[in-house]
Amino acid sequence: YLPEAHTDFIFAVYAEETGIIGVIFLISLFLILFWRCLYIGYRAHKNLHVFPAFCAYGIGLWFIFQAFVNIGVVMGALPTKGITLPLISYGGSSLIVMMASIGFLLRIEIDTRTLNDYPIHLEKKTIVKKKKEAFPPNRRAVKKIFGWFK
């Protein structure tokens, strides 16, 4: 019996309703979110954006730590701390801060994506554009060369 199941113990209700498949699915979603945060941080660090890279790493660690502490509390392995399940638990301030951090993470991803498309040459401070390759040739020309056209 959970008196306030809709607040910090929402994982218990979710596990009861969806079973082991739902629990594995939710944990895998948190792991995918964590992996994506690390990837965004890696790409930002590769483009010499050190502060946004460490922010992305921190957001990922924050999400995964908070999720696993909440899951541990619900299972009874850890004492009750009052930490919400990220993006799921009922609570206005926690949900607002989580969504703001997701927005910040998306902004880091957008900034590093645009710089990844046009890498900056450090010595000349110019944008290096990729050259278009002539290969593969036109299909019609290949068919004409080999006599496969009708």
Side-chain angles (χ1 to χ4, degrees), residues 9-123:
F9 293 96
I10 193 69
F11 186 74
V13 176
Y14 179 79
E16 182 182 3
E17 295 294 328
T18 61
I20 190 72
I21 303 297
V23 169
I24 291 171
F25 178 71
L26 187 64
I27 290 173
S28 66
L29 284 179
F30 280 122
L31 289 175
I32 289 170
L33 179 67
F34 176 63
W35 173 78
R36 192 66 186 160
C37 289
L38 292 182
Y39 180 71
I40 290 170
Y42 167 73
R43 218 167 60 188
H45 200 228
K46 191 172 74 172
N47 285 329
L48 304 176
H49 286 86
V50 179
F51 181 72
F54 286 127
C55 286
Y57 294 145
I59 290 170
L61 287 172
W62 175 31
F63 273 114
I64 202 74
F65 175 76
Q66 192 166 343
F68 280 112
V69 166
N70 184 283
I71 291 169
V73 166
V74 169
M75 290 189 317
L78 296 172
T80 304
K81 297 291 180 194
I83 294 178
T84 60
L85 190 64
L87 302 173
I88 296 175
S89 287
Y90 176 76
S93 61
S94 174
L95 193 60
I96 289 172
V97 170
M98 291 290 170
M99 287 190 180
S101 64
I102 292 287
F104 184 61
L105 194 65
L106 288 173
R107 185 67 218 178
I108 294 169
E109 201 268 334
I110 288 171
D111 286 345
T112 57
R113 179 185 290 173
T114 55
L115 286 178
N116 198 15
D117 293 339
Y118 296 104
I120 296 175
H121 197 278
L122 295 177
E123 289 87 27

